[in-house]
Amino acid sequence: DINKEDFLNIVYSEYNKVYKEEENNTNYEIMFLFFAFLVEWKYLLQFNKKCSNINWVNGGNFGAISNKKNELIKTKDLIKNLDKEYICDNYELLLTIKWCLKTREKYNKYNELAHLVACTYPFHVSNKGDRLDLVNNVIDYKINYKIKYTDMLEDLQNRKV
């Protein structure tokens, strides 16, 4: 696993290359957090391993990060010291970030991205305030749901314009 700071630096550096002009937007920090969660979830789905040691929490309709005491960390505090020029040599992670950036283009408004995150399996099977167990969530998802719903999801994605 990549430690929380390195993971967030890597994701922030790539995210900021595309969305730098949105930095002054009031939802910039939370949009970044949505994006970072999607990177983590997609990476786990794709490579069957977590890429960071982040403790993700169901924050209601968004992902949140908790510290070791299970206290939620404010998003502004998370990203204020992140490096916009961070270098990453993890090819799998960069590939995942690029895929998520393409997805982010389709869901470019706050409510659209919030809805996408809220519809991911970990949020679907947890309650507000629960720590997300992404490793077990991905196993359960792949065994019980992905096979059943892949065709339906592809059909829905093909209809989206």
Side-chain angles (χ1 to χ4, degrees):
D1 289 359
I2 300 170
N3 71 49
K4 175 176 63 183
E5 290 76 18
D6 286 342
F7 172 77
L8 291 172
N9 274 308
I10 292 164
V11 175
Y12 188 69
S13 178
E14 296 300 315
Y15 183 84
N16 196 60
K17 289 175 186 175
V18 177
Y19 293 103
K20 182 177 178 54
E21 72 282 352
E22 293 183 11
E23 254 182 326
N24 294 325
N25 183 322
T26 56
N27 292 324
Y28 183 79
E29 290 95 359
I30 195 70
M31 294 283 279
F32 168 72
L33 192 60
F34 292 159
F35 181 79
F37 173 79
L38 290 173
V39 170
E40 177 91 75
W41 179 240
K42 174 64 177 169
Y43 187 92
L44 188 55
L45 284 168
Q46 191 74 33
F47 301 107
N48 295 314
K49 59 185 176 182
K50 257 189 110 190
C51 61
S52 83
N53 65 354
I54 291 178
N55 294 316
W56 292 99
V57 176
N58 181 335
N61 62 348
F62 61 91
I65 297 175
S66 70
N67 60 22
K68 290 180 181 175
K69 296 178 186 174
N70 211 26
E71 301 164 333
L72 294 185
I73 300 170
K74 292 183 180 170
T75 310
K76 281 189 189 290
D77 293 340
L78 274 174
I79 72 168
K80 69 180 174 186
N81 295 319
L82 293 180
D83 186 351
K84 295 175 185 168
E85 305 291 325
Y86 203 85
I87 308 273
C88 176
D89 60 357
N90 182 325
Y91 179 72
E92 292 173 341
L93 180 54
L94 286 173
L95 215 60
T96 304
I97 292 169
K98 299 236 182 284
W99 186 91
C100 289
L101 283 169
K102 288 186 183 288
T103 300
R104 167 70 170 79
E105 287 174 14
K106 297 175 190 173
Y107 300 91
N108 63 352
K109 294 182 181 152
Y110 171 83
N111 60 339
E112 294 171 341
L113 197 57
H115 182 72
L116 177 64
V117 169
C119 288
T120 60
Y121 186 73
F123 285 88
H124 180 69
V125 297
S126 65
N127 296 311
K128 183 177 180 178
D130 289 350
R131 184 173 277 189
L132 302 178
D133 184 352
L134 297 183
V135 173
N136 282 324
N137 287 159
V138 82
I139 292 167
D140 185 49
Y141 173 75
K142 286 184 172 187
I143 292 171
N144 296 312
Y145 295 93
K146 187 176 181 185
I147 295 166
K148 295 177 188 174
Y149 295 108
T150 300
D151 293 337
M152 181 183 75
L153 289 173
E154 286 176 5
D155 184 49
L156 288 172
Q157 288 173 341
N158 290 334
R159 287 190 219 167
K160 185 159 178 96
V161 178

